[in-house]
Amino acid sequence: MNSELGDAEAAMNWLRIKGREDPNFFFMYSRDGEGRLATLFWRDNASFLNYKAFGDVLIIDSTYKMNIYELPLVLFVCIHNHRGSVIFGCGLLCNEKEHTFSWLIEIFMSSMDNVAPKTVVVDGDERLHKALHTHMPSARQRLCSWHIGRKVGQNVKNLKVHKVLGKLIYASYNIEEWDLIWDNLIAEHGLADN
């Protein structure tokens, strides 16, 4: 990014400039014991306004490590009423420990006037779940269907069971239809003891 300042300092300078240009721009960071950037969260005014409009359901995707430092990039997003993606904020973390996720969720909430979503969709990371219970206790947590589908693909070897589970995960059913398909799957394949 900037060899004279270093990547982290160049990024911080850019965030400071954005903050001067837009008084509703928000960013927060922390440094480790050696003065290096440890955690970073940012969101702009459009993200804030979008959260006010579409923030009932929050999706937290913490699976990105596709940067040159292999650090977790956490995206706070949603799907709006026209099925488009909306970014509410971004976080860059030095690790995936519970206290790091806790810092990030606390800062996100602070940046959004401490208004919690009704539902949070996440992967299965228990450390993230614990941080959400602490800082968004009223929000219902749901597992991401993509992650569930991936686990089904890795762990279910019976192709018929795999196919039915795929439909249950991705298709739209009312509660009665879903329960009927589930009960039939369990009975037909002798899965009651699983």
Side-chain angles (χ1 to χ4, degrees):
M1 219 161 141
N2 184 327
S3 59
E4 194 172 304
L5 289 176
D7 292 348
E9 289 306 317
M12 300 310 296
N13 284 340
W14 182 83
L15 292 168
R16 287 182 193 101
I17 290 167
K18 293 297 288 179
R20 285 193 291 273
E21 292 172 355
D22 176 1
N24 292 319
F25 184 82
F26 181 97
F27 78 100
M28 186 70 65
Y29 65 94
S30 69
R31 296 185 182 273
D32 66 15
E34 298 176 22
R36 296 177 302 202
L37 183 64
T39 54
L40 171 64
F41 171 81
W42 71 97
R43 63 120 180 103
D44 60 14
N45 188 49
S47 296
F48 179 75
L49 295 174
N50 281 326
Y51 185 76
K52 293 294 184 190
F54 306 112
D56 287 352
V57 176
L58 172 65
I59 302 166
I60 301 177
D61 190 345
S62 62
T63 59
Y64 294 104
K65 290 186 188 166
M66 304 303 277
N67 51 67
I68 62 173
Y69 304 107
E70 295 185 15
L71 297 174
L73 174 67
V74 180
L75 300 177
F76 295 83
V77 299
C78 84
I79 306 299
H80 64 50
N81 55 331
H82 297 290
R83 302 191 75 161
S85 298
V86 176
I87 296 177
F88 296 141
C90 303
L92 192 60
L93 307 177
C94 61
N95 59 53
E96 295 174 286
K97 295 180 179 176
E98 183 180 339
H99 69 87
T100 308
F101 280 129
S102 185
W103 178 92
L104 183 64
I105 301 301
E106 180 179 18
I107 297 302
F108 173 80
M109 289 293 293
S110 173
S111 82
M112 298 301 184
D113 292 339
N114 291 307
V115 175
K118 292 179 181 173
T119 301
V120 182
V121 179
V122 295
D123 64 19
D125 190 308
E126 196 58 37
R127 298 158 298 193
L128 178 56
H129 285 278
K130 288 179 182 177
L132 288 166
H133 281 298
T134 300
H135 299 289
M136 296 180 184
S138 64
R140 296 174 128 175
Q141 292 187 42
R142 298 290 182 246
L143 290 175
C144 171
S145 60
W146 182 85
H147 288 94
I148 295 171
R150 193 172 102 196
K151 291 292 184 186
V152 167
Q154 291 171 348
N155 297 303
V156 176
K157 303 306 176 204
N158 181 313
L159 292 179
K160 288 181 181 180
V161 172
H162 187 274
K163 184 176 179 180
V164 173
L165 287 174
K167 288 181 181 179
L168 287 171
I169 293 167
Y170 297 112
S172 294
Y173 296 108
N174 65 37
I175 294 170
E176 292 80 20
E177 292 170 328
W178 197 97
D179 284 345
L180 179 63
I181 295 167
W182 178 260
D183 291 343
N184 288 339
L185 173 71
I186 299 301
E188 184 178 326
H189 296 280
L191 300 172
D193 293 332
N194 286 330

